[in-house]
Amino acid sequence: MNGCFHLKPGLTREPKWGHLRDLHKAIKSSEAALVSAYPTVTSLGSKQEAHVFKSKSGACAAFLANYDTRYSVKVKFGNGQYDLPRWSISILPDCKTAVFNTAKIGAHSSKKAMVPVNSAFSWQSYTEQSPTADDREATVHNGLWEQIYLTRDASDYLWYMTDVKIDPNEGFLKGRQGPILTVWSAGHALHVFTNGQLSGTVYGGLDNPKLTFSNNVKLRAGINRISLLSVAVGLPNVGTHFETWNAGVLGPVTLKGLNEGTRDISKQNWSYKIGLKGEALNLHTVTGSSSVEWVQGSQLVKKQPMTWYKTTFNAPRGNEPLALDMSSMGKGQVWINGQSIGRHWPGYIARGSCGACDYAGTYTDKKCRTNCGEPSQRWYHVPRSWVKPSGNLLVVFEEWGGDPSRIALVKRTATA
């Protein structure tokens, strides 16, 4: 559901992992015959076939297929009879013994539970600062530029900033609603700020990463700063001409509702700043996190966008797999002892229709969906090899605004 995401080694998921392991083992056992000849296909019934591979050295492997989506059948092949569940394939590495069937789950399945292993974290927060007009690291270009061209993937984040002059005689200043700011972007997410205040957040989807922000914004007489924080959520690495796919604010960007009508501000000068201040300061590391003033206790910032959080924890006993429950957060990134465990995005809700599931028939991405209306991912794997016995630094950058007090370190337990 999540598009292109930064993946880390995760936890085995049974029975799927074991079922695929057994499939690979069965295919490997058939290797000598598979790589030596093309198959001979014979009919075993109206909707059943045998695909037989034979090598000159005598190796033989057979794949018995039942294409019927409604009925299981018993077929005769060679000197034996074989039960074929509906819409399934049996693998016979020696053309005699069925060692695997795609519809039969032989892998062990156990009940999994994610159990909290720590008391509440003691969090500190630091608010990410928006770039200022005189930021020395900002560059100025005429018009809007593509994001990856500027960032070279050095950061997910790129600031687009420009100034808008509002005449004191503008009608909307006399109590009417502010003008409508409309921003067209190639994706993947966008945070819109006017004069340092968040005006809204929009994001694209897996099917179409493009997005549009369109909303009334508060402007005052004089110079107003519009800051657009564009976020790229991974880069494509498959598809036709994927190297030409764009990200970032490509425009147009317009203000509608001024005395002049609609003003296109796309082609005026824009300042660009790659990355966040917290990234430049390496706040996810022990040394970097000591370079700024953090607040805690009653001053801790909650449910506010663009906020960094840090805490420390000790490793729990045992060797069970560990994860972070990030369901109370929106979108951002997480680090353990300076190592990224990936982007978190529980605010991205799984959409679609979750109904009855029937494996039979041609697969589509809309088939057998689960957890509709829930976060696309809740738990984020923490490799035990990255965790020290004590004093582990956990840093979270939150873009949207979340409640860090509900983040929990959990271990995965399994019972038969």
Side-chain angles (χ1 to χ4, degrees):
M1 299 290 295
N2 299 52
C4 303
F5 288 92
H6 183 55
L7 300 178
K8 291 291 179 184
L11 308 177
T12 57
R13 184 169 183 172
E14 295 288 10
K16 181 178 181 179
W17 187 89
H19 191 56
L20 291 176
R21 176 204 59 208
D22 295 343
L23 170 61
H24 293 165
K25 183 178 179 180
I27 293 176
K28 182 67 176 176
S29 300
S30 309
E31 180 181 11
L34 285 176
V35 300
S36 300
Y38 290 105
T40 299
V41 181
T42 58
S43 174
L44 300 177
S46 61
K47 296 182 180 180
Q48 294 78 37
E49 291 180 346
H51 295 242
V52 180
F53 298 79
K54 289 185 177 181
S55 70
K56 293 180 180 180
S57 63
C60 181
F63 293 74
L64 310 184
N66 180 14
Y67 299 114
D68 196 319
T69 60
R70 298 179 62 189
Y71 300 109
S72 299
V73 297
K74 185 184 290 290
V75 299
K76 180 175 175 55
F77 174 75
N79 295 322
Q81 288 189 328
Y82 301 88
D83 293 316
L84 296 181
R86 62 196 182 101
W87 195 257
S88 72
I89 298 173
S90 285
I91 301 178
L92 289 64
D94 59 357
C95 285
K96 297 177 182 179
T97 306
V99 301
F100 181 87
N101 180 272
T102 56
K104 296 178 180 179
I105 307 298
H108 173 71
S109 182
S110 56
K111 186 176 181 180
K112 308 295 190 302
M114 306 300 278
V115 181
V117 294
N118 68 307
S119 55
F121 290 117
S122 178
W123 291 100
Q124 301 178 55
S125 65
Y126 170 78
T127 302
E128 173 72 21
Q129 302 297 315
S130 301
T132 59
D134 58 353
D135 194 309
R136 289 179 295 178
E137 295 181 4
T139 59
V140 179
H141 298 284
N142 183 258
L144 297 166
W145 289 49
E146 198 273 337
Q147 180 166 344
I148 306 304
Y149 176 80
L150 292 177
T151 65
R152 304 295 184 188
D153 199 30
S155 171
D156 284 355
Y157 305 97
L158 178 65
W159 288 96
Y160 294 73
M161 300 167 288
T162 194
D163 291 332
V164 174
K165 186 176 182 180
I166 297 298
D167 191 276
N169 296 320
E170 286 288 348
F172 75 84
L173 294 173
K174 299 176 182 178
R176 299 210 313 264
Q177 235 175 0
I180 297 175
L181 174 65
T182 301
V183 182
W184 282 269
S185 170
H188 305 128
L190 183 70
H191 306 286
V192 179
F193 297 83
T194 51
N195 296 320
Q197 299 299 311
L198 181 66
S199 297
T201 293
V202 289
Y203 58 93
L206 178 61
D207 295 332
N208 183 14
K210 295 181 180 179
L211 56 93
T212 302
F213 171 87
S214 188
N215 209 346
N216 297 93
V217 293
K218 294 181 180 180
L219 299 180
R220 58 188 179 231
I223 301 299
N224 295 262
R225 167 142 289 215
I226 294 177
S227 301
L228 311 175
L229 180 60
S230 181
V231 188
V233 186
L235 299 177
N237 59 7
V238 293
T240 305
H241 303 299
F242 69 84
E243 74 280 2
T244 66
W245 297 357
N246 294 322
V249 180
L250 301 181
V253 179
T254 63
L255 277 171
K256 181 181 179 181
L258 304 177
N259 290 350
E260 66 197 73
T262 299
R263 183 188 303 179
D264 188 342
I265 60 175
S266 308
K267 296 181 180 180
Q268 65 186 47
N269 284 342
W270 288 79
S271 297
Y272 296 85
K273 172 71 181 300
I274 298 172
L276 306 172
K277 181 178 180 180
E279 287 182 307
L281 295 173
N282 291 317
L283 293 187
H284 62 283
T285 67
V286 173
T287 302
S289 66
S290 302
S291 64
V292 298
E293 291 285 338
W294 299 75
V295 298
Q296 56 185 330
S298 61
Q299 294 181 303
L300 182 74
V301 177
K302 292 184 182 181
K303 298 183 179 180
Q304 294 297 317
M306 311 303 291
T307 305
W308 293 82
Y309 297 99
K310 76 168 183 176
T311 189
T312 57
F313 68 95
N314 297 331
R317 295 179 179 177
N319 57 5
E320 299 94 341
L322 300 177
L324 283 173
D325 183 349
M326 299 293 294
S327 58
S328 66
M329 307 303 283
K331 180 182 181 299
Q333 299 186 45
V334 187
W335 296 264
I336 299 286
N337 293 326
Q339 299 288 330
S340 172
I341 67 169
R343 303 178 179 94
H344 70 273
W345 200 351
Y348 192 100
I349 301 301
R351 300 181 178 89
S353 177
C354 292
C357 176
D358 185 353
Y359 74 90
T362 304
Y363 173 78
T364 73
D365 62 354
K366 296 179 174 58
K367 192 172 186 176
C368 292
R369 289 181 168 180
T370 59
N371 301 323
C372 294
E374 298 181 15
S376 55
Q377 184 173 345
R378 175 178 177 178
W379 292 291
Y380 294 79
H381 182 215
V382 177
R384 278 221 180 234
S385 59
W386 293 1
V387 178
K388 303 179 296 183
S390 62
N392 295 282
L393 176 65
L394 168 60
V395 175
V396 176
F397 174 63
E398 174 58 38
E399 293 177 29
W400 289 10
D403 184 358
S405 65
R406 292 169 52 198
I407 296 176
L409 182 66
V410 300
K411 65 179 180 181
R412 193 180 75 163
T413 61
T415 55

